[in-house]
Amino acid sequence: PKTDIVFLKVHKSASSTVMNILFRFGETHNLTFAFPVGGGNQLFYPHHFMARFVQGFSPRSPRHFNILCHHMRFLQSEVQKVVSSSAVYFSILRNPVQLMESSFMYYKGASAFSRARSLEQFLSQPHLYYNPANGDSHYARNLMTFDFGFNPNGEVSAKRVQLMLEAIEASFDLVLISEYFDESMVLLKEMLCWDLDSVVSFPLNIRDSSTKSPLPDTIVEKIKNWNRLDWEIYTHFNRTFWERIDRDIGRARLEREVTALRERRTELARTCLQGMGSVAPKDIKDSSLRPLQHGNAKILGYNLKQGLDPQTERVCRRLVTPELQYSSALYKRQFAQRHP
């Protein structure tokens, strides 16, 4: 199994669920994480990543960490200072239309969105609300482009798009697609030589469907145009994703593996969860399992069954622990000897 991993956690793209997979694998195999200095949950995002943002990194005696997976704005030359040269790099993308809708709800407090009554209103005259000079403007335009380290307000020429795609392909071994999450996990498992249980998960940091509504076609086109760079990245890697599946796995085996993954998830849900699924934040009984609520989104969580034996309880709890709580527990564990 591969144990040196860089995951570029792109915002609002099922990346919290992937992070939970990495947290669990790292904890089980006693791996080290590249934590933000002071144990926060972002590597000084939205600044470009710097090696000095990592707790325990020193340029005089550089040490390598196994897993780098907290939110960062990608800069490979700095990332290479904290991970081994054989590390596997991967990321996950989401359709920019759904991404924009999700960002609008989640980052409603951002300067570009706060004055717009609706996404429709924002898109009718984006430049009325959007100021690229604002420190949080990246949430409102080409967010994936920004997370990969590029300028989200750059011109959309064929040449520039081509260079951007080539740069991503040169840096990343695998780019997953969140709309095909289970297929993505099969591909990830294959590339990392992990077993099925290592990539099985419950969806984390997801929004209650009561705040979601289908978008009219006119809005969809406006979102694509406003996020043209993201759209180019997404359509390219959605295509190469399926090429990779056909080359490395084949559709028939993919189907079998996806079925096995889903059956295992159902089995774990039956073992671990009260009521088999996610619940509204107000219905989460154990406050340590309550995810951070943000903007106008209602973030769902889980209730564990009572009376599980200690080992099962541990497995189940790891699966449903929200990102911030899990990160902070792992941070304390990794730096325990320093803070008695």
Side-chain angles (χ1 to χ4, degrees):
K2 305 261 197 305
T3 53
D4 291 315
I5 295 161
V6 174
F7 172 52
L8 178 63
K9 184 175 189 289
V10 170
H11 285 76
K12 316 294 338 126
S13 304
S15 55
S16 295
T17 309
V18 177
M19 197 174 190
N20 175 271
I21 288 170
L22 295 173
F23 278 169
R24 283 171 12 229
F25 188 86
E27 183 180 15
T28 309
H29 295 81
N30 218 5
L31 304 177
T32 56
F33 290 89
F35 284 107
V37 168
N41 62 316
Q42 302 199 338
L43 287 151
F44 297 83
Y45 186 86
H47 298 286
H48 271 107
F49 176 81
M50 302 292 280
R52 60 184 163 80
F53 296 165
V54 172
Q55 175 98 38
F57 172 79
S58 146
R60 285 183 306 286
S61 54
R63 57 174 288 206
H64 286 149
F65 298 86
N66 298 119
I67 299 180
L68 174 61
C69 64
H70 287 71
H71 272 308
M72 63 171 159
R73 188 174 183 205
F74 189 67
L75 183 58
Q76 188 163 16
S77 55
E78 288 290 316
V79 167
Q80 285 167 335
K81 296 176 184 175
V82 299
V83 295
S84 104
S85 57
S86 60
V88 174
Y89 287 67
F90 80 100
S91 187
I92 187 164
L93 302 175
R94 183 182 185 184
N95 185 318
V97 175
Q98 279 71 48
L99 180 73
M100 176 97 193
E101 189 272 340
S102 179
S103 296
F104 185 81
M105 293 302 291
Y106 200 80
Y107 301 112
K108 191 66 184 86
S111 56
F113 292 151
S114 58
R115 299 194 329 279
R117 276 197 317 278
S118 63
L119 182 54
E120 216 149 337
Q121 187 181 42
F122 173 82
L123 290 162
S124 63
Q125 292 174 288
H127 290 291
L128 201 63
Y129 304 100
Y130 176 82
N131 176 358
N134 287 345
D136 60 0
S137 67
H138 55 280
Y139 290 123
R141 185 177 204 185
N142 290 316
L143 179 52
M144 296 191 288
T145 303
F146 182 87
D147 285 354
F148 275 95
F150 305 108
N151 173 10
N153 296 294
E155 54 151 354
V156 188
S157 64
K159 181 79 186 129
R160 191 160 175 276
V161 167
Q162 185 59 29
L163 287 170
M164 203 165 66
L165 295 174
E166 283 170 8
I168 295 172
E169 292 199 312
S171 301
F172 288 83
D173 300 289
L174 184 61
V175 177
L176 305 173
I177 301 291
S178 67
E179 282 77 16
Y180 304 103
F181 189 80
D182 292 343
E183 293 83 352
S184 291
M185 291 307 102
V186 169
L187 207 46
L188 183 66
K189 169 173 94 71
E190 186 79 2
M191 186 182 71
L192 297 176
C193 306
W194 288 7
D195 62 7
L196 181 73
D197 266 17
S198 297
V199 297
V200 75
S201 61
F202 296 141
L204 294 176
N205 206 24
I206 52 164
R207 193 153 57 105
D208 177 19
S209 57
S210 71
T211 58
K212 296 180 194 172
S213 48
L215 298 167
D217 293 348
T218 49
I219 294 287
V220 168
E221 287 313 308
K222 281 179 177 167
I223 292 177
K224 286 183 194 172
N225 285 326
W226 177 246
N227 297 282
R228 180 56 60 186
L229 293 171
D230 271 11
W231 184 250
E232 295 288 347
I233 291 177
Y234 177 77
T235 49
H236 174 82
F237 284 103
N238 188 11
R239 194 182 71 245
T240 59
F241 174 80
W242 291 102
E243 288 168 2
R244 180 81 172 254
I245 294 260
D246 290 336
R247 192 185 76 218
D248 293 358
I249 295 179
R251 300 286 170 119
R253 190 176 134 219
L254 175 73
E255 211 171 301
R256 290 196 302 276
E257 299 247 357
V258 164
T259 302
L261 182 68
R262 288 175 180 162
E263 283 170 356
R264 182 67 182 126
R265 181 184 298 131
T266 304
E267 194 184 325
L268 281 163
R270 210 173 288 134
T271 303
C272 296
L273 304 178
Q274 284 180 27
M276 293 280 293
S278 50
V279 297
K282 63 174 179 21
D283 298 323
I284 300 169
K285 301 188 181 81
D286 179 343
S287 61
S288 71
L289 297 179
R290 197 169 292 144
L292 174 76
Q293 301 299 314
H294 210 290
N296 286 358
K298 260 212 225 102
I299 307 298
L300 304 175
Y302 296 93
N303 284 319
L304 289 180
K305 275 189 178 161
Q306 300 296 299
L308 298 170
D309 68 82
Q311 195 186 347
T312 308
E313 212 263 354
R314 199 161 52 242
V315 168
C316 294
R317 183 169 285 275
R318 281 175 179 163
L319 279 161
V320 300
T321 298
E323 174 185 328
L324 301 188
Q325 289 93 311
Y326 207 155
S327 180
S328 128
L330 290 172
Y331 176 82
K332 287 194 185 100
R333 191 180 103 151
Q334 189 165 309
F335 295 104
Q337 58 281 20
R338 209 165 307 170
H339 310 289

